[in-house]
């Protein structure tokens, strides 16, 4: 046997068969070597994975079976098409720390890259993504990416969704974003972006969600609006000027322009606004009166016009769930009758010049939150507080309420109660200890306080309250 001259050849044959066999088994049961290596390099860029989200990513196992990895179903070209890693950074769990490895560019067939809410991915925008022009989704919200959004983003013409919200991107938005002709959703909220919104955004003909909230954008809101734009969030920036004309003719569902420096009158939007569900124009400098026409909005659920300079009367709106008119120049005198007759959940009418006796206000709605602060309301809220078990928050500071607090029931859902700066008398009932927040300062309350966790400032300025957190009662 040892003298068999063919031995080396036989061995060689065996060997090649073995290799081919292995190679075959690689292509049929394992993922492509480039994908495996690209993913493993991504894993080694992660320096900290405390909840073990990438534990299943092991060399020489089929990467198509790893957690968060998706492959094309085609057995002849089994390639990684999606990477979907979902963390829960806002809850402080499932966090990944580290950098996004450029080796991910080996995943040539990648369509969707979702690295969501991972909390601690850092580094600049992952420019290697530009070598994957077929990507349709880049979604990396809520991490610590920083720097500018590169101009070349405009080359990713297959993008449908770009979500970079909740990072630390700064600088201006590149106008090349307008080249993303297929883009449907753009989320850049909660960054440090500044400058103007490019007028070229008008060219984004498939865009329907645009979320630019909580940045430092300046200038006017450009006249870029057209179908199919429906969800438009521009809140918490420094936009100035008037609402642009083009907005009045899109069938928007959400318009959130709160907390900017917008001026002018509240526009009469027109027929397209039959679709609107949420309109938030709060914390701007809108003036004039609210057009009667708002009463015709049939689908609106949230209308927040608080903290502006609006005046005049307000139209009847029957379907609205959340209405906030607080802190304007309204002088309503009374709470409009129709408000009491609707099924509203949240009502804000702070500083609206209301002069009613509260006992007489018996709304049918099962309110969750009512804010009537800073009016001239007299009487007592006992009927309201004792009958509306749904109530979670009741705010009525700076009024002229006068009642014996010992008759007040603390509803099982009530969490927040502010009766400060009124003329409430009697004792503070024990049941308030269940509340999350309480303020009864500056009233005429008296007697020993029940044991609570509230600060001293919640009880200051009364006639003769005593006991912790106030000084001890004299015996
Ligand atoms: C985030 O990552 C950095 C290193 O990039 C690390 O020092 C830090 O501890 C991480 N933070 C958390 C909350 O994991
Ligand atoms: C990218 O998309 C084009 C057109 O759909 C296709 O021909 C090409 O094979 C794709 N390339 C990759 C790497 O997926
Ligand atoms: C983007 O496209 C432009 C030309 O359209 C080209 O000059 C540039 O190099 C491209 N950028 C990248 C990163 O591919
Ligand atoms: C968009 O902006 C709002 C604030 O206007 C924010 O609360 C919301 O979470 C954002 N949505 C997404 C999906 O980023
Ligand atoms: C309206 O927008 C302001 C500013 O972003 C925000 O504080 C408020 O909660 C929003 N109102 C509603 C009802 O969501
Ligand atoms: C409302 O305010 C405008 C100025 O913003 C003023 O011209 C108008 O007279 C006011 N209307 C009422 C009814 O107070
Ligand atoms: C209670 O209201 C008073 C007066 O408005 C305020 O100064 C104080 O900070 C408030 N305390 C709490 C605990 O909210």
């Amino acid at each position: 046997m040892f003298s068999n001259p063919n031995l080396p050849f036989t061995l060689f044959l065996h060997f090649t068969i073995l290799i081919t066999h292995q190679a075959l088994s690689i292509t049929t049961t394992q993922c492509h070597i480039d994908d495996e290596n690209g993913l493993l390099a991504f894993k080694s860029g992660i320096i900290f994975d405390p909840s073990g989200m990438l534990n299943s990513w092991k060399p020489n196992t089929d990467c198509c079976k790893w957690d968060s990895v998706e492959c094309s179903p085609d057995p002849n070209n089994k390639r990684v098409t999606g990477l979907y890693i979902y963390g829960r950074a806002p809850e402080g769990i499932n966090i990944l720390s580290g950098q996004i490895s450029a080796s991910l560019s080996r995943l040539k067939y990648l369509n969707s890259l979702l690295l969501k809410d991972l909390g601690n991915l850092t580094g600049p925008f992952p420019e290697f993504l530009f070598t994957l022009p077929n990507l349709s989704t880049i979604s990396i919200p809520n991490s610590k990416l920083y720097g500018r959004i590169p101009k070349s983003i405009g080359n990713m013409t297959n993008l449908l969704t770009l979500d970079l919200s909740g990072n630390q991107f700064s600088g201006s938005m590149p106008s090349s974003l307008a080249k993303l002709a297929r883009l449907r959703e753009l989320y850049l909220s909660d960054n440090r972006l500044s400058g103007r919104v490019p007028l070229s955004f008008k060219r984004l003909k498939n865009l329907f969600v645009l979320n630019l909230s909580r940045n430092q954008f300046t200038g006017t809101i450009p006249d870029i609006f057209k179908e199919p734009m429906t969800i438009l969030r521009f809140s918490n920036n420094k936009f100035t000027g008037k609402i642009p004309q083009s907005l009045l003719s899109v069938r928007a569902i959400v318009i959130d322009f709160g907390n900017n420096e917008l001026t002018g009158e509240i526009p009469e939007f027109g027929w397209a606004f039959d679709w609107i569900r949420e309109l938030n124009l709060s914390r701007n400098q809108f003036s004039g009166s609210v057009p009667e026409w708002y009463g015709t909005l049939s689908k609106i659920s949230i209308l927040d016009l608080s903290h502006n300079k609006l005046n005049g009367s307000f139209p009847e709106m029957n379907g609205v769930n959340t209405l906030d008119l607080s802190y304007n120049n309204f002088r309503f005198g009374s709470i409009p009758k129709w408000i009491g007759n609707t099924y509203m959940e949240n009502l804000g009418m702070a500083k609206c010049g209301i002069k009613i006796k509260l006992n007489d206000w018996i709304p049918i709605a099962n309110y969750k939150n009512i804010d009537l602060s800073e009016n001239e309301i007299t009487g007592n809220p006992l009927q309201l507080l004792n009958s509306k078990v749904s109530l979670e928050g009741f705010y009525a500071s700076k009024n002229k309420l006068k009642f014996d607090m010992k008759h007040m029931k603390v509803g099982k859902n009530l969490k927040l109660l502010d009766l400060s700066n009124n003329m409430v008398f009697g004792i503070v009932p024990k049941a308030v200890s269940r509340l999350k927040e309480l303020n009864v300062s500056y009233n005429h309350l008296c007697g020993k306080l029940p044991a609570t966790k509230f600060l001293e400032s919640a009880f200051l300025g009364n006639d003769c309250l005593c006991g912790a957190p106030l000084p001890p009662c004299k015996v």
Side-chain angles (χ1 to χ4, degrees):
M1 213 182 157
F2 286 118
S3 60
N4 187 340
N6 289 333
L7 183 63
F9 180 65
T10 329
L11 261 179
F12 176 69
L13 246 184
H14 259 100
F15 203 50
T16 31
I17 287 168
L18 204 76
I19 287 186
T20 354
H21 185 75
Q22 269 215 344
L24 271 176
S25 78
I26 282 168
T27 52
T28 54
T29 70
Q30 299 220 169
C31 66
H32 196 280
I33 190 72
D34 284 351
D35 291 344
E36 178 177 338
N37 287 340
L39 289 168
L40 288 173
F42 172 83
K43 183 177 176 175
S44 56
I46 300 301
I47 53 172
F48 202 37
D49 173 13
S51 49
M53 283 191 282
L54 305 181
N55 280 359
S56 63
W57 293 24
K58 296 201 181 88
N60 303 315
T61 60
D62 182 4
C63 76
C64 291
K65 299 209 170 84
W66 296 352
D67 289 342
S68 316
V69 176
E70 187 180 86
C71 290
S72 53
D74 181 358
N76 298 319
N77 191 22
K78 201 167 136 192
R79 295 296 302 254
V80 172
T81 52
L83 188 53
Y84 303 88
I85 311 183
Y86 298 99
R88 286 162 68 186
E91 294 153 69
I93 50 174
N94 294 8
I95 290 174
L96 289 186
S97 301
Q99 305 231 2
I100 304 172
S101 166
S103 300
L104 273 190
S105 61
R106 300 178 72 166
L107 278 57
K108 284 286 170 247
Y109 289 77
L110 197 64
N111 278 318
S112 301
L113 177 65
L114 284 83
L115 305 172
K116 275 186 182 248
D117 303 339
L118 296 174
N120 206 16
L121 297 177
T122 180
F125 182 91
E127 301 220 17
F128 66 83
L129 295 177
F130 299 139
T131 64
L132 302 172
N134 283 13
L135 266 182
S136 64
T137 301
I138 299 176
S139 180
I140 318 178
N142 300 318
S143 263
K144 297 217 177 83
L145 303 181
Y146 55 81
R148 291 181 158 257
I149 298 173
K151 270 203 195 76
S152 302
I153 192 89
N155 294 16
M156 306 290 289
T157 48
N158 284 309
L159 273 187
L160 303 176
T161 302
L162 177 62
D163 183 356
L164 301 174
S165 57
N167 282 285
Q168 296 164 7
F169 287 108
S170 56
S172 55
M173 267 190 298
S175 54
S176 61
L177 278 169
K179 291 201 282 179
L180 304 179
R182 301 180 68 190
L183 197 66
R184 294 161 54 82
E185 298 172 58
L186 178 60
Y187 303 92
L188 297 174
S189 51
D190 292 283
N191 279 287
R192 298 168 188 171
L193 297 165
S194 56
R196 290 169 162 263
V197 176
L199 192 56
S200 56
F201 271 35
K202 214 164 32 184
R203 299 209 305 265
L204 291 167
K205 62 176 187 293
N206 286 299
L207 195 68
F208 79 96
V209 183
L210 178 56
N211 193 336
L212 304 178
S213 292
R214 291 191 285 263
N215 280 287
Q216 291 153 32
F217 291 117
T218 51
T220 53
I221 295 180
D223 224 350
I224 54 171
F225 302 102
K226 56 188 212 171
E227 303 295 331
M229 292 185 184
T230 42
I231 299 183
L232 303 164
R233 296 191 184 270
F234 286 60
S235 67
N236 298 285
N237 282 288
K238 293 175 184 158
F239 289 113
T240 52
K242 298 189 175 171
I243 287 185
Q245 203 60 33
S246 62
L247 186 66
L248 310 190
S249 51
V250 292
R251 274 177 284 190
I253 290 173
V254 173
I255 294 183
D256 176 11
F257 286 180
N259 204 11
N260 282 291
E261 292 158 28
L262 301 172
T263 52
E265 304 215 338
I266 301 266
E268 189 158 322
F269 284 96
W271 65 272
F273 263 60
D274 280 356
W275 300 83
I276 193 99
R277 300 236 175 88
E278 178 180 344
L279 178 60
N280 191 338
L281 301 177
S282 75
R283 294 177 194 275
N284 281 288
Q285 291 164 40
F286 291 110
S287 56
S289 60
V290 179
E292 271 304 306
W293 170 86
Y294 274 68
T296 66
L297 296 177
S298 59
K299 296 203 175 64
I300 196 157
S301 166
I302 299 177
L303 178 61
D304 190 344
L305 299 176
S306 63
H307 297 273
N308 280 291
K309 298 173 178 167
L310 301 169
N311 64 9
S313 59
F314 189 80
E316 182 167 338
M317 299 183 78
N318 285 304
V320 71
N321 170 282
T322 296
L323 177 66
D324 200 345
L325 303 176
S326 303
Y327 302 104
N328 277 286
N329 297 334
F330 293 123
R331 290 284 162 268
F332 291 133
S334 58
I335 299 177
K337 219 186 193 96
W338 65 266
I339 285 184
N341 294 336
T342 54
Y343 290 95
M344 203 180 276
E345 284 192 324
N346 305 292
L347 175 65
M349 293 193 83
K351 207 163 185 180
C352 281
I354 297 167
K355 297 182 182 175
I356 59 165
K357 186 172 177 196
L358 197 52
N359 317 35
D360 301 335
W361 189 55
I362 305 167
I364 60 165
N366 290 320
Y367 280 105
K368 285 190 174 158
N369 293 286
I370 299 176
D371 186 353
L372 295 172
S373 311
E374 302 192 40
N375 285 292
E376 292 169 53
I377 299 172
T378 59
N380 72 66
L382 292 176
Q383 154 85 13
L384 198 64
L385 290 173
N386 295 354
S387 67
K388 300 289 175 197
V389 286
S390 55
L391 210 55
E392 293 171 10
F394 183 71
Y395 310 84
S397 72
K398 299 191 182 153
N399 278 288
K400 296 174 177 167
L401 297 174
K402 195 170 188 178
F403 65 99
D404 187 342
M405 203 173 171
K406 95 171 165 227
H407 298 306
M408 195 191 86
K409 289 191 196 129
V410 177
K412 66 175 191 317
N413 292 305
L414 196 68
K415 293 183 188 77
L416 314 159
L417 178 65
D418 188 353
L419 296 170
S420 62
N421 288 284
N422 279 284
M423 295 182 276
V424 186
F425 56 92
I427 57 155
V428 175
K430 222 182 190 161
V432 299
S433 62
R434 285 213 302 272
L435 298 173
K436 255 168 71 184
E437 278 172 38
L438 172 73
N439 200 336
V440 293
S441 63
Y442 302 96
N443 280 290
H444 297 297
L445 295 159
C446 204
K448 189 174 190 315
L449 284 173
T452 63
K453 57 185 180 304
F454 306 116
L455 301 174
E456 185 185 36
S457 75
F459 302 109
L460 284 178
N462 278 286
D463 291 1
C464 37
L465 282 179
C466 59
L470 296 175
C473 300
K474 299 191 181 86
V475 274

